[in-house]
Amino acid sequence: MTTTAVRARGGTRSDRLPGAWGLGLHRGALEIRQFFRQRDQVVFTFAFPVVFLFLFASIFSDDVRGAGITASQLYVPAMMAAGIMSTSFQSLGISIAIERDEKVLRRLRGTPMPPAAYFLGKIWLVLVTGALETAVLLTVGTTLYDVELPSDPGKWAEFGWIFVLGLTACALLGIAISSVPKSGKSATSVVVLPFLVLQFISGVYISIDTIPDWMLNIGAAFPLKWMCQGLRGVFLPESAKVLEQAGDWEFGRIALVLGAWCAGGLLLCLLTFRWKNRHDG
């Protein structure tokens, strides 16, 4: 159809193209379908934190002195935070690096699709998978380990912004770190190592009160420690705050740090993201 014919029907070709938000929604639906078609990936993605929660909660099941909770209850919000970072930071860091290596990004860049639509699609993917994994872990925690759901709507509001800010910050960091691996084959090693280290120094596997202060200070520079602390504040009783480094949940500081990482992560993405491998020129 000629340009004249298109105009005669009431608009130009550009008028009929959907915007970045619409294309991002379609891209997100495609990403989600592709994810759930890979059954082994689905099983391992959702089973990994649940298995670790079961192992640690079974090994360390005694009461935590002075906190009014059991060690197994302490692990539930920590594993939820780790699950959020796994489905965002780790998932995007590896998958985008592989797509770049397989020249998927290069082909997408050559289409009329706005670049923002690609990233919006990834955000939709991690939003859905992160919410599902959090729901699974919360179900396991309330069913097996007597974690009580908050009755105060304010607590659920706190959970909401911690989830959104934490997921966004980790997703942006995942997009940024995807440019570090030299190839798709090395992506897993490059991305998993810092994530594993952060889990040990951010209070996921080891209680905060047993980690040296210098390690905690390093962990405090990254989002995972604050997500763990915030989710403990939502799902654990007030008596458990004595376990925190500052003796308080510090929700204001959590919002500040996670918000800063959202802004910093976006800046890192803009400065470092590449559509092609280094050897492609």
mmCIF file with all atom_site columns, all heavy atoms in Angstrom, residues 212-232:
data_model
loop_
_atom_site.group_PDB
_atom_site.id
_atom_site.type_symbol
_atom_site.label_atom_id
_atom_site.label_alt_id
_atom_site.label_comp_id
_atom_site.label_asym_id
_atom_site.label_entity_id
_atom_site.label_seq_id
_atom_site.pdbx_PDB_ins_code
_atom_site.Cartn_x
_atom_site.Cartn_y
_atom_site.Cartn_z
_atom_site.occupancy
_atom_site.B_iso_or_equiv
_atom_site.pdbx_formal_charge
_atom_site.auth_seq_id
_atom_site.auth_comp_id
_atom_site.auth_asym_id
_atom_site.auth_atom_id
_atom_site.pdbx_PDB_model_num
ATOM 1   N N   . PRO A 1 212 ? 30.505 -10.229 60.656 1.00 0.00 ? 212 PRO A N   1
ATOM 2   C CA  . PRO A 1 212 ? 31.368 -9.110  61.053 1.00 0.00 ? 212 PRO A CA  1
ATOM 3   C C   . PRO A 1 212 ? 30.865 -7.785  60.484 1.00 0.00 ? 212 PRO A C   1
ATOM 4   O O   . PRO A 1 212 ? 30.316 -7.733  59.380 1.00 0.00 ? 212 PRO A O   1
ATOM 5   C CB  . PRO A 1 212 ? 32.729 -9.489  60.445 1.00 0.00 ? 212 PRO A CB  1
ATOM 6   C CG  . PRO A 1 212 ? 32.684 -10.971 60.282 1.00 0.00 ? 212 PRO A CG  1
ATOM 7   C CD  . PRO A 1 212 ? 31.257 -11.312 59.986 1.00 0.00 ? 212 PRO A CD  1
ATOM 8   N N   . ASP A 1 213 ? 31.072 -6.719  61.246 1.00 0.00 ? 213 ASP A N   1
ATOM 9   C CA  . ASP A 1 213 ? 30.568 -5.404  60.833 1.00 0.00 ? 213 ASP A CA  1
ATOM 10  C C   . ASP A 1 213 ? 31.128 -4.959  59.487 1.00 0.00 ? 213 ASP A C   1
ATOM 11  O O   . ASP A 1 213 ? 30.412 -4.333  58.695 1.00 0.00 ? 213 ASP A O   1
ATOM 12  C CB  . ASP A 1 213 ? 30.908 -4.355  61.901 1.00 0.00 ? 213 ASP A CB  1
ATOM 13  C CG  . ASP A 1 213 ? 30.007 -4.473  63.123 1.00 0.00 ? 213 ASP A CG  1
ATOM 14  O OD1 . ASP A 1 213 ? 28.939 -5.102  63.009 1.00 0.00 ? 213 ASP A OD1 1
ATOM 15  O OD2 . ASP A 1 213 ? 30.375 -3.938  64.185 1.00 0.00 ? 213 ASP A OD2 1
ATOM 16  N N   . TRP A 1 214 ? 32.404 -5.274  59.218 1.00 0.00 ? 214 TRP A N   1
ATOM 17  C CA  . TRP A 1 214 ? 32.972 -4.813  57.948 1.00 0.00 ? 214 TRP A CA  1
ATOM 18  C C   . TRP A 1 214 ? 32.315 -5.497  56.758 1.00 0.00 ? 214 TRP A C   1
ATOM 19  O O   . TRP A 1 214 ? 32.155 -4.892  55.697 1.00 0.00 ? 214 TRP A O   1
ATOM 20  C CB  . TRP A 1 214 ? 34.489 -5.022  57.937 1.00 0.00 ? 214 TRP A CB  1
ATOM 21  C CG  . TRP A 1 214 ? 34.951 -6.464  57.924 1.00 0.00 ? 214 TRP A CG  1
ATOM 22  C CD1 . TRP A 1 214 ? 35.211 -7.245  59.003 1.00 0.00 ? 214 TRP A CD1 1
ATOM 23  C CD2 . TRP A 1 214 ? 35.210 -7.260  56.764 1.00 0.00 ? 214 TRP A CD2 1
ATOM 24  N NE1 . TRP A 1 214 ? 35.606 -8.501  58.595 1.00 0.00 ? 214 TRP A NE1 1
ATOM 25  C CE2 . TRP A 1 214 ? 35.633 -8.534  57.232 1.00 0.00 ? 214 TRP A CE2 1
ATOM 26  C CE3 . TRP A 1 214 ? 35.137 -7.036  55.385 1.00 0.00 ? 214 TRP A CE3 1
ATOM 27  C CZ2 . TRP A 1 214 ? 35.972 -9.577  56.367 1.00 0.00 ? 214 TRP A CZ2 1
ATOM 28  C CZ3 . TRP A 1 214 ? 35.477 -8.069  54.521 1.00 0.00 ? 214 TRP A CZ3 1
ATOM 29  C CH2 . TRP A 1 214 ? 35.878 -9.323  55.008 1.00 0.00 ? 214 TRP A CH2 1
ATOM 30  N N   . MET A 1 215 ? 31.886 -6.757  56.941 1.00 0.00 ? 215 MET A N   1
ATOM 31  C CA  . MET A 1 215 ? 31.151 -7.440  55.878 1.00 0.00 ? 215 MET A CA  1
ATOM 32  C C   . MET A 1 215 ? 29.758 -6.837  55.720 1.00 0.00 ? 215 MET A C   1
ATOM 33  O O   . MET A 1 215 ? 29.273 -6.640  54.599 1.00 0.00 ? 215 MET A O   1
ATOM 34  C CB  . MET A 1 215 ? 31.045 -8.932  56.170 1.00 0.00 ? 215 MET A CB  1
ATOM 35  C CG  . MET A 1 215 ? 32.313 -9.715  55.949 1.00 0.00 ? 215 MET A CG  1
ATOM 36  S SD  . MET A 1 215 ? 31.997 -11.500 56.064 1.00 0.00 ? 215 MET A SD  1
ATOM 37  C CE  . MET A 1 215 ? 33.649 -12.130 55.740 1.00 0.00 ? 215 MET A CE  1
ATOM 38  N N   . LEU A 1 216 ? 29.124 -6.547  56.863 1.00 0.00 ? 216 LEU A N   1
ATOM 39  C CA  . LEU A 1 216 ? 27.794 -5.937  56.810 1.00 0.00 ? 216 LEU A CA  1
ATOM 40  C C   . LEU A 1 216 ? 27.840 -4.581  56.117 1.00 0.00 ? 216 LEU A C   1
ATOM 41  O O   . LEU A 1 216 ? 26.917 -4.224  55.375 1.00 0.00 ? 216 LEU A O   1
ATOM 42  C CB  . LEU A 1 216 ? 27.232 -5.774  58.222 1.00 0.00 ? 216 LEU A CB  1
ATOM 43  C CG  . LEU A 1 216 ? 26.720 -7.033  58.919 1.00 0.00 ? 216 LEU A CG  1
ATOM 44  C CD1 . LEU A 1 216 ? 26.291 -6.714  60.333 1.00 0.00 ? 216 LEU A CD1 1
ATOM 45  C CD2 . LEU A 1 216 ? 25.574 -7.653  58.136 1.00 0.00 ? 216 LEU A CD2 1
ATOM 46  N N   . ASN A 1 217 ? 28.900 -3.839  56.348 1.00 0.00 ? 217 ASN A N   1
ATOM 47  C CA  . ASN A 1 217 ? 29.027 -2.519  55.719 1.00 0.00 ? 217 ASN A CA  1
ATOM 48  C C   . ASN A 1 217 ? 29.172 -2.652  54.203 1.00 0.00 ? 217 ASN A C   1
ATOM 49  O O   . ASN A 1 217 ? 28.669 -1.805  53.452 1.00 0.00 ? 217 ASN A O   1
ATOM 50  C CB  . ASN A 1 217 ? 30.226 -1.777  56.309 1.00 0.00 ? 217 ASN A CB  1
ATOM 51  C CG  . ASN A 1 217 ? 30.009 -1.391  57.753 1.00 0.00 ? 217 ASN A CG  1
ATOM 52  O OD1 . ASN A 1 217 ? 28.867 -1.231  58.205 1.00 0.00 ? 217 ASN A OD1 1
ATOM 53  N ND2 . ASN A 1 217 ? 31.093 -1.255  58.515 1.00 0.00 ? 217 ASN A ND2 1
ATOM 54  N N   . ILE A 1 218 ? 29.861 -3.696  53.757 1.00 0.00 ? 218 ILE A N   1
ATOM 55  C CA  . ILE A 1 218 ? 29.950 -3.942  52.311 1.00 0.00 ? 218 ILE A CA  1
ATOM 56  C C   . ILE A 1 218 ? 28.585 -4.342  51.764 1.00 0.00 ? 218 ILE A C   1
ATOM 57  O O   . ILE A 1 218 ? 28.122 -3.823  50.741 1.00 0.00 ? 218 ILE A O   1
ATOM 58  C CB  . ILE A 1 218 ? 30.992 -5.031  52.006 1.00 0.00 ? 218 ILE A CB  1
ATOM 59  C CG1 . ILE A 1 218 ? 32.399 -4.556  52.375 1.00 0.00 ? 218 ILE A CG1 1
ATOM 60  C CG2 . ILE A 1 218 ? 30.943 -5.420  50.517 1.00 0.00 ? 218 ILE A CG2 1
ATOM 61  C CD1 . ILE A 1 218 ? 33.470 -5.619  52.232 1.00 0.00 ? 218 ILE A CD1 1
ATOM 62  N N   . GLY A 1 219 ? 27.909 -5.246  52.469 1.00 0.00 ? 219 GLY A N   1
ATOM 63  C CA  . GLY A 1 219 ? 26.579 -5.669  52.039 1.00 0.00 ? 219 GLY A CA  1
ATOM 64  C C   . GLY A 1 219 ? 25.585 -4.529  52.021 1.00 0.00 ? 219 GLY A C   1
ATOM 65  O O   . GLY A 1 219 ? 24.676 -4.488  51.186 1.00 0.00 ? 219 GLY A O   1
ATOM 66  N N   . ALA A 1 220 ? 25.761 -3.566  52.957 1.00 0.00 ? 220 ALA A N   1
ATOM 67  C CA  . ALA A 1 220 ? 24.837 -2.430  53.048 1.00 0.00 ? 220 ALA A CA  1
ATOM 68  C C   . ALA A 1 220 ? 24.937 -1.499  51.855 1.00 0.00 ? 220 ALA A C   1
ATOM 69  O O   . ALA A 1 220 ? 24.074 -0.629  51.670 1.00 0.00 ? 220 ALA A O   1
ATOM 70  C CB  . ALA A 1 220 ? 25.093 -1.657  54.336 1.00 0.00 ? 220 ALA A CB  1
ATOM 71  N N   . ALA A 1 221 ? 25.969 -1.662  51.058 1.00 0.00 ? 221 ALA A N   1
ATOM 72  C CA  . ALA A 1 221 ? 26.114 -0.829  49.864 1.00 0.00 ? 221 ALA A CA  1
ATOM 73  C C   . ALA A 1 221 ? 25.266 -1.334  48.711 1.00 0.00 ? 221 ALA A C   1
ATOM 74  O O   . ALA A 1 221 ? 25.185 -0.670  47.668 1.00 0.00 ? 221 ALA A O   1
ATOM 75  C CB  . ALA A 1 221 ? 27.583 -0.765  49.440 1.00 0.00 ? 221 ALA A CB  1
ATOM 76  N N   . PHE A 1 222 ? 24.603 -2.490  48.886 1.00 0.00 ? 222 PHE A N   1
ATOM 77  C CA  . PHE A 1 222 ? 23.839 -3.103  47.798 1.00 0.00 ? 222 PHE A CA  1
ATOM 78  C C   . PHE A 1 222 ? 22.391 -3.360  48.236 1.00 0.00 ? 222 PHE A C   1
ATOM 79  O O   . PHE A 1 222 ? 22.100 -3.405  49.436 1.00 0.00 ? 222 PHE A O   1
ATOM 80  C CB  . PHE A 1 222 ? 24.516 -4.406  47.365 1.00 0.00 ? 222 PHE A CB  1
ATOM 81  C CG  . PHE A 1 222 ? 25.910 -4.199  46.820 1.00 0.00 ? 222 PHE A CG  1
ATOM 82  C CD1 . PHE A 1 222 ? 27.020 -4.301  47.650 1.00 0.00 ? 222 PHE A CD1 1
ATOM 83  C CD2 . PHE A 1 222 ? 26.096 -3.876  45.485 1.00 0.00 ? 222 PHE A CD2 1
ATOM 84  C CE1 . PHE A 1 222 ? 28.301 -4.100  47.155 1.00 0.00 ? 222 PHE A CE1 1
ATOM 85  C CE2 . PHE A 1 222 ? 27.366 -3.677  44.983 1.00 0.00 ? 222 PHE A CE2 1
ATOM 86  C CZ  . PHE A 1 222 ? 28.472 -3.776  45.812 1.00 0.00 ? 222 PHE A CZ  1
ATOM 87  N N   . PRO A 1 223 ? 21.492 -3.552  47.280 1.00 0.00 ? 223 PRO A N   1
ATOM 88  C CA  . PRO A 1 223 ? 20.060 -3.635  47.618 1.00 0.00 ? 223 PRO A CA  1
ATOM 89  C C   . PRO A 1 223 ? 19.654 -4.851  48.436 1.00 0.00 ? 223 PRO A C   1
ATOM 90  O O   . PRO A 1 223 ? 18.698 -4.771  49.208 1.00 0.00 ? 223 PRO A O   1
ATOM 91  C CB  . PRO A 1 223 ? 19.381 -3.677  46.236 1.00 0.00 ? 223 PRO A CB  1
ATOM 92  C CG  . PRO A 1 223 ? 20.379 -3.153  45.272 1.00 0.00 ? 223 PRO A CG  1
ATOM 93  C CD  . PRO A 1 223 ? 21.719 -3.518  45.824 1.00 0.00 ? 223 PRO A CD  1
ATOM 94  N N   . LEU A 1 224 ? 20.321 -5.997  48.298 1.00 0.00 ? 224 LEU A N   1
ATOM 95  C CA  . LEU A 1 224 ? 19.834 -7.233  48.908 1.00 0.00 ? 224 LEU A CA  1
ATOM 96  C C   . LEU A 1 224 ? 19.721 -7.126  50.422 1.00 0.00 ? 224 LEU A C   1
ATOM 97  O O   . LEU A 1 224 ? 18.731 -7.580  51.011 1.00 0.00 ? 224 LEU A O   1
ATOM 98  C CB  . LEU A 1 224 ? 20.754 -8.406  48.524 1.00 0.00 ? 224 LEU A CB  1
ATOM 99  C CG  . LEU A 1 224 ? 20.322 -9.780  49.052 1.00 0.00 ? 224 LEU A CG  1
ATOM 100 C CD1 . LEU A 1 224 ? 18.908 -10.126 48.594 1.00 0.00 ? 224 LEU A CD1 1
ATOM 101 C CD2 . LEU A 1 224 ? 21.305 -10.862 48.617 1.00 0.00 ? 224 LEU A CD2 1
ATOM 102 N N   . LYS A 1 225 ? 20.709 -6.530  51.072 1.00 0.00 ? 225 LYS A N   1
ATOM 103 C CA  . LYS A 1 225 ? 20.676 -6.404  52.530 1.00 0.00 ? 225 LYS A CA  1
ATOM 104 C C   . LYS A 1 225 ? 19.441 -5.644  52.981 1.00 0.00 ? 225 LYS A C   1
ATOM 105 O O   . LYS A 1 225 ? 18.786 -5.989  53.975 1.00 0.00 ? 225 LYS A O   1
ATOM 106 C CB  . LYS A 1 225 ? 21.956 -5.706  52.995 1.00 0.00 ? 225 LYS A CB  1
ATOM 107 C CG  . LYS A 1 225 ? 22.121 -5.635  54.512 1.00 0.00 ? 225 LYS A CG  1
ATOM 108 C CD  . LYS A 1 225 ? 21.686 -4.310  55.093 1.00 0.00 ? 225 LYS A CD  1
ATOM 109 C CE  . LYS A 1 225 ? 22.015 -4.231  56.596 1.00 0.00 ? 225 LYS A CE  1
ATOM 110 N NZ  . LYS A 1 225 ? 21.452 -3.025  57.235 1.00 0.00 ? 225 LYS A NZ  1
ATOM 111 N N   . TRP A 1 226 ? 19.080 -4.601  52.252 1.00 0.00 ? 226 TRP A N   1
ATOM 112 C CA  . TRP A 1 226 ? 17.948 -3.764  52.637 1.00 0.00 ? 226 TRP A CA  1
ATOM 113 C C   . TRP A 1 226 ? 16.619 -4.435  52.315 1.00 0.00 ? 226 TRP A C   1
ATOM 114 O O   . TRP A 1 226 ? 15.637 -4.226  53.044 1.00 0.00 ? 226 TRP A O   1
ATOM 115 C CB  . TRP A 1 226 ? 18.076 -2.400  51.958 1.00 0.00 ? 226 TRP A CB  1
ATOM 116 C CG  . TRP A 1 226 ? 19.353 -1.732  52.349 1.00 0.00 ? 226 TRP A CG  1
ATOM 117 C CD1 . TRP A 1 226 ? 20.509 -1.640  51.623 1.00 0.00 ? 226 TRP A CD1 1
ATOM 118 C CD2 . TRP A 1 226 ? 19.635 -1.106  53.597 1.00 0.00 ? 226 TRP A CD2 1
ATOM 119 N NE1 . TRP A 1 226 ? 21.492 -0.994  52.327 1.00 0.00 ? 226 TRP A NE1 1
ATOM 120 C CE2 . TRP A 1 226 ? 20.980 -0.653  53.551 1.00 0.00 ? 226 TRP A CE2 1
ATOM 121 C CE3 . TRP A 1 226 ? 18.886 -0.880  54.754 1.00 0.00 ? 226 TRP A CE3 1
ATOM 122 C CZ2 . TRP A 1 226 ? 21.577 0.014   54.617 1.00 0.00 ? 226 TRP A CZ2 1
ATOM 123 C CZ3 . TRP A 1 226 ? 19.479 -0.213  55.823 1.00 0.00 ? 226 TRP A CZ3 1
ATOM 124 C CH2 . TRP A 1 226 ? 20.809 0.222   55.739 1.00 0.00 ? 226 TRP A CH2 1
ATOM 125 N N   . MET A 1 227 ? 16.581 -5.230  51.255 1.00 0.00 ? 227 MET A N   1
ATOM 126 C CA  . MET A 1 227 ? 15.371 -5.997  50.992 1.00 0.00 ? 227 MET A CA  1
ATOM 127 C C   . MET A 1 227 ? 15.127 -7.025  52.089 1.00 0.00 ? 227 MET A C   1
ATOM 128 O O   . MET A 1 227 ? 13.996 -7.213  52.553 1.00 0.00 ? 227 MET A O   1
ATOM 129 C CB  . MET A 1 227 ? 15.460 -6.685  49.626 1.00 0.00 ? 227 MET A CB  1
ATOM 130 C CG  . MET A 1 227 ? 15.347 -5.740  48.446 1.00 0.00 ? 227 MET A CG  1
ATOM 131 S SD  . MET A 1 227 ? 15.085 -6.619  46.892 1.00 0.00 ? 227 MET A SD  1
ATOM 132 C CE  . MET A 1 227 ? 16.660 -7.468  46.705 1.00 0.00 ? 227 MET A CE  1
ATOM 133 N N   . CYS A 1 228 ? 16.198 -7.713  52.513 1.00 0.00 ? 228 CYS A N   1
ATOM 134 C CA  . CYS A 1 228 ? 16.076 -8.675  53.612 1.00 0.00 ? 228 CYS A CA  1
ATOM 135 C C   . CYS A 1 228 ? 15.561 -7.988  54.869 1.00 0.00 ? 228 CYS A C   1
ATOM 136 O O   . CYS A 1 228 ? 14.625 -8.466  55.529 1.00 0.00 ? 228 CYS A O   1
ATOM 137 C CB  . CYS A 1 228 ? 17.432 -9.320  53.903 1.00 0.00 ? 228 CYS A CB  1
ATOM 138 S SG  . CYS A 1 228 ? 18.036 -10.462 52.647 1.00 0.00 ? 228 CYS A SG  1
ATOM 139 N N   . GLN A 1 229 ? 16.158 -6.864  55.214 1.00 0.00 ? 229 GLN A N   1
ATOM 140 C CA  . GLN A 1 229 ? 15.780 -6.142  56.423 1.00 0.00 ? 229 GLN A CA  1
ATOM 141 C C   . GLN A 1 229 ? 14.341 -5.653  56.349 1.00 0.00 ? 229 GLN A C   1
ATOM 142 O O   . GLN A 1 229 ? 13.579 -5.764  57.316 1.00 0.00 ? 229 GLN A O   1
ATOM 143 C CB  . GLN A 1 229 ? 16.731 -4.971  56.629 1.00 0.00 ? 229 GLN A CB  1
ATOM 144 C CG  . GLN A 1 229 ? 16.496 -4.184  57.915 1.00 0.00 ? 229 GLN A CG  1
ATOM 145 C CD  . GLN A 1 229 ? 17.620 -3.192  58.186 1.00 0.00 ? 229 GLN A CD  1
ATOM 146 O OE1 . GLN A 1 229 ? 18.787 -3.510  58.031 1.00 0.00 ? 229 GLN A OE1 1
ATOM 147 N NE2 . GLN A 1 229 ? 17.261 -1.978  58.583 1.00 0.00 ? 229 GLN A NE2 1
ATOM 148 N N   . GLY A 1 230 ? 13.958 -5.119  55.189 1.00 0.00 ? 230 GLY A N   1
ATOM 149 C CA  . GLY A 1 230 ? 12.603 -4.617  55.034 1.00 0.00 ? 230 GLY A CA  1
ATOM 150 C C   . GLY A 1 230 ? 11.556 -5.714  55.122 1.00 0.00 ? 230 GLY A C   1
ATOM 151 O O   . GLY A 1 230 ? 10.515 -5.547  55.772 1.00 0.00 ? 230 GLY A O   1
ATOM 152 N N   . LEU A 1 231 ? 11.817 -6.848  54.494 1.00 0.00 ? 231 LEU A N   1
ATOM 153 C CA  . LEU A 1 231 ? 10.854 -7.949  54.540 1.00 0.00 ? 231 LEU A CA  1
ATOM 154 C C   . LEU A 1 231 ? 10.798 -8.582  55.927 1.00 0.00 ? 231 LEU A C   1
ATOM 155 O O   . LEU A 1 231 ? 9.734  -9.058  56.341 1.00 0.00 ? 231 LEU A O   1
ATOM 156 C CB  . LEU A 1 231 ? 11.215 -8.995  53.477 1.00 0.00 ? 231 LEU A CB  1
ATOM 157 C CG  . LEU A 1 231 ? 11.038 -8.524  52.027 1.00 0.00 ? 231 LEU A CG  1
ATOM 158 C CD1 . LEU A 1 231 ? 11.476 -9.590  51.041 1.00 0.00 ? 231 LEU A CD1 1
ATOM 159 C CD2 . LEU A 1 231 ? 9.584  -8.125  51.757 1.00 0.00 ? 231 LEU A CD2 1
ATOM 160 N N   . ARG A 1 232 ? 11.917 -8.584  56.644 1.00 0.00 ? 232 ARG A N   1
ATOM 161 C CA  . ARG A 1 232 ? 11.843 -9.030  58.041 1.00 0.00 ? 232 ARG A CA  1
ATOM 162 C C   . ARG A 1 232 ? 10.942 -8.094  58.848 1.00 0.00 ? 232 ARG A C   1
ATOM 163 O O   . ARG A 1 232 ? 10.180 -8.532  59.706 1.00 0.00 ? 232 ARG A O   1
ATOM 164 C CB  . ARG A 1 232 ? 13.247 -9.079  58.654 1.00 0.00 ? 232 ARG A CB  1
ATOM 165 C CG  . ARG A 1 232 ? 14.075 -10.280 58.210 1.00 0.00 ? 232 ARG A CG  1
ATOM 166 C CD  . ARG A 1 232 ? 15.318 -10.470 59.084 1.00 0.00 ? 232 ARG A CD  1
ATOM 167 N NE  . ARG A 1 232 ? 16.277 -9.387  58.924 1.00 0.00 ? 232 ARG A NE  1
ATOM 168 C CZ  . ARG A 1 232 ? 17.304 -9.421  58.070 1.00 0.00 ? 232 ARG A CZ  1
ATOM 169 N NH1 . ARG A 1 232 ? 17.483 -10.494 57.304 1.00 0.00 ? 232 ARG A NH1 1
ATOM 170 N NH2 . ARG A 1 232 ? 18.153 -8.407  57.975 1.00 0.00 ? 232 ARG A NH2 1
#
